């Protein structure tokens, strides 16, 4: 059940110095009752939070985790090799929001190391920095929105089978030899999933592919995106399975910059038509007009209300 008042949230403060309600982020999440039906705003004071793996369980919707500035509110973990067990933060609850946080996995360059796993419907991320090397962001299932986020990695660093809109995000590739930025996992054309990048920026060192197909019907599109020369001329790769060339949907629309030249793109990628772009480059693609919400304007602690 959605909260009756979408402008007021219960405020919980996390401060490692002991001046808040909790010292640990997970303790604050654990304090939210099961089947929660009010907005909960967990305000995380500046610091590096490195001694806990964060899980937002399925029965605790409508939680916001917020710092004040991503560069000084850092959630970090150091675990690798397992796609589902390594994330610094795993989100299983619907109607989740993260604001102004750095989320990183410092495991390194020797295999899978997820910083953020999103396995819930209706999740939004604003002004966050998401950093690792391989499989940085497991954009797993559900409808998601990322705005003004910085996402860094080298191999398949945005992967999964969510339906996600990335608006004005910065993708930074650390790949030296053509690692893929995306590995989208749509398996059939019946699934309304895919990654849409709108008004984004691509930078990096070395060279990088825009994407390769984890699923047979992988779908990724870029529109109005600045592509530096880190993007290899062919743009896309079939991951060694030529049959996927007939079933993937990889498109670009009015991108610019030295990496956007489509003269040498693989023949099975496409330049989107205006009609195709109009259907994809909108929040309607994720049903966002029905669930994206502004930050609360009022906060309450016990019986008092703070404006």
């Amino acid at each position: 059940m959605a909260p009756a008042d979408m402008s007021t949230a219960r405020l919980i403060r996390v401060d490692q110095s002991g001046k808040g309600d909790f010292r640990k982020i997970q303790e604050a999440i654990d304090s939210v009752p099961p089947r929660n039906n009010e907005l909960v705003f967990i305000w995380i004071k500046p610091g590096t939070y490195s001694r806990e793996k964060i899980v937002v369980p399925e029965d605790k919707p409508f939680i916001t985790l917020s710092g004040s500035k991503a560069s000084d509110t850092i959630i970090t973990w150091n675990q690798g090799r397992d796609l589902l067990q390594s994330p610094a933060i795993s989100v299983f609850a619907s109607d989740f929001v993260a604001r102004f946080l750095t989320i990183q996995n410092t495991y390194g360059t020797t295999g899978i190391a997820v910083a953020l796993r999103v396995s819930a419907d209706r999740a939004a991320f604003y002004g966050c920095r998401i950093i690792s090397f391989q499989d940085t962001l497991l954009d797993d299932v559900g409808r998601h929105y990322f705005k003004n986020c910085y996402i860094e990695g080298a191999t398949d660093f945005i992967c999964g089978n969510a339906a996600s809109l990335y608006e004005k995000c910065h993708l930074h590739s650390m790949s030296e030899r053509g690692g893929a930025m995306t590995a989208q996992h749509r398996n059939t054309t019946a699934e309304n999933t895919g990654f849409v990048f709108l008004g984004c920026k691509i930078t990096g060192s070395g060279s990088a592919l825009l994407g390769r197909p984890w699923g047979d019907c992988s779908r990724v599109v870029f529109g109005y995106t600045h592509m530096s020369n880190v993007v290899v001329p062919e743009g896309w790769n079939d991951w060694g399975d030529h049959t996927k060339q007939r079933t993937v949907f990889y498109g670009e629309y009015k991108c610019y910059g030295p990496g956007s030249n489509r003269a040498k793109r693989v023949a099975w990628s496409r330049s989107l038509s205006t009609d195709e772009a109009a259907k994809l480059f909108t929040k309607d693609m994720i049903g966002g007009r029905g669930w994206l919400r502004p930050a609360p304007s009022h906060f309450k602690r016990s019986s008092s209300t703070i404006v």
Side-chain angles (χ1 to χ4, degrees):
M1 180 183 297
D5 182 358
M6 297 296 284
S7 67
T8 301
R10 180 158 67 90
L11 178 65
I12 301 174
R13 299 170 301 166
V14 176
D15 189 338
Q16 294 181 110
S17 71
K19 296 179 181 179
D21 302 299
F22 298 97
R23 291 177 182 267
K24 293 186 176 182
I25 300 166
Q26 192 63 53
E27 291 174 347
I29 294 169
D30 292 345
S31 75
V32 178
R35 297 176 294 281
N36 171 58
N37 63 355
E38 66 175 339
L39 296 184
V40 176
F41 193 94
I42 299 176
W43 181 26
I44 305 168
K45 295 296 185 69
T48 299
Y49 296 79
S50 60
R51 298 185 178 181
E52 54 178 335
K53 183 188 291 191
I54 309 302
V55 176
V56 185
E58 184 178 4
D59 63 353
K60 298 189 179 187
F62 299 107
I63 288 177
T64 294
L65 297 181
S66 181
S68 300
K69 188 167 62 172
S71 60
D72 62 18
T73 309
I74 301 167
I75 299 170
T76 182
W77 193 246
N78 183 346
Q79 183 178 349
R81 302 192 182 278
D82 191 303
L83 188 70
L84 302 182
Q85 298 301 318
S86 63
I89 298 181
S90 296
V91 178
F92 300 106
S94 66
D95 300 285
F96 173 84
V97 175
R99 295 178 179 273
F100 313 125
L101 300 171
T102 291
I103 305 165
Q104 66 180 10
N105 191 325
T106 59
Y107 183 73
T109 63
T110 57
I112 294 169
V114 179
L116 172 64
R117 175 186 179 185
V118 190
S119 300
D121 197 23
R122 301 187 301 271
F125 299 81
Y126 301 93
C128 290
R129 299 171 73 242
I130 308 165
I131 301 170
S132 187
F133 188 81
Q134 181 173 336
D135 303 330
T136 301
L137 170 56
L138 177 52
D139 196 5
D140 192 17
V141 294
R143 294 168 293 171
H144 308 148
Y145 180 60
F146 297 82
K147 186 172 184 180
N148 293 325
C149 291
Y150 173 88
I151 307 166
E152 178 181 298
T155 304
D156 305 332
F157 64 89
I158 303 176
C159 58
N161 194 22
S164 294
L165 173 60
Y166 295 81
E167 188 170 4
K168 297 181 180 179
C169 290
H170 181 176
L171 280 58
H172 187 77
S173 172
M174 301 297 291
S175 171
E176 295 181 357
R177 296 183 300 277
M181 287 180 278
T182 68
Q184 206 279 332
H185 201 290
R186 189 173 72 145
N187 289 304
T188 73
T189 56
E191 295 175 280
N192 188 27
T193 60
F195 300 157
V196 174
F197 297 89
L198 176 61
C200 294
K201 176 171 67 172
I202 296 172
T203 61
S205 56
S207 62
L209 293 158
L210 294 172
R212 60 179 182 170
W214 190 5
D216 290 346
C217 298
S218 179
R219 179 164 62 172
V220 180
V221 296
F222 288 86
Y224 302 103
T225 290
H226 181 271
M227 298 180 179
S228 74
N229 58 9
V230 71
V231 178
V232 296
E234 63 268 28
W236 310 87
N237 180 276
D238 62 16
W239 214 333
D241 184 350
H242 297 332
T243 64
K244 292 181 179 179
Q245 296 180 11
R246 299 191 300 269
T247 55
V248 300
F249 188 104
Y250 288 156
E252 299 162 59
Y253 183 76
K254 293 189 176 181
C255 295
Y256 58 102
S260 67
N261 188 339
R262 287 192 46 80
K264 296 182 179 180
R265 286 291 194 264
V266 294
W268 39 273
S269 70
R270 63 184 76 192
S271 292
L272 299 177
S273 69
T274 300
D275 287 345
E276 287 174 321
K279 293 175 182 177
L280 290 167
F281 296 119
T282 167
K283 291 185 178 69
D284 291 341
M285 181 261 182
I286 57 169
R289 300 179 197 280
W291 60 268
L292 289 171
R293 63 182 188 268
S297 55
H298 295 77
F299 300 92
K300 63 181 181 180
R301 300 186 67 237
S302 64
S303 60
S304 62
T305 299
I306 306 168
V307 178

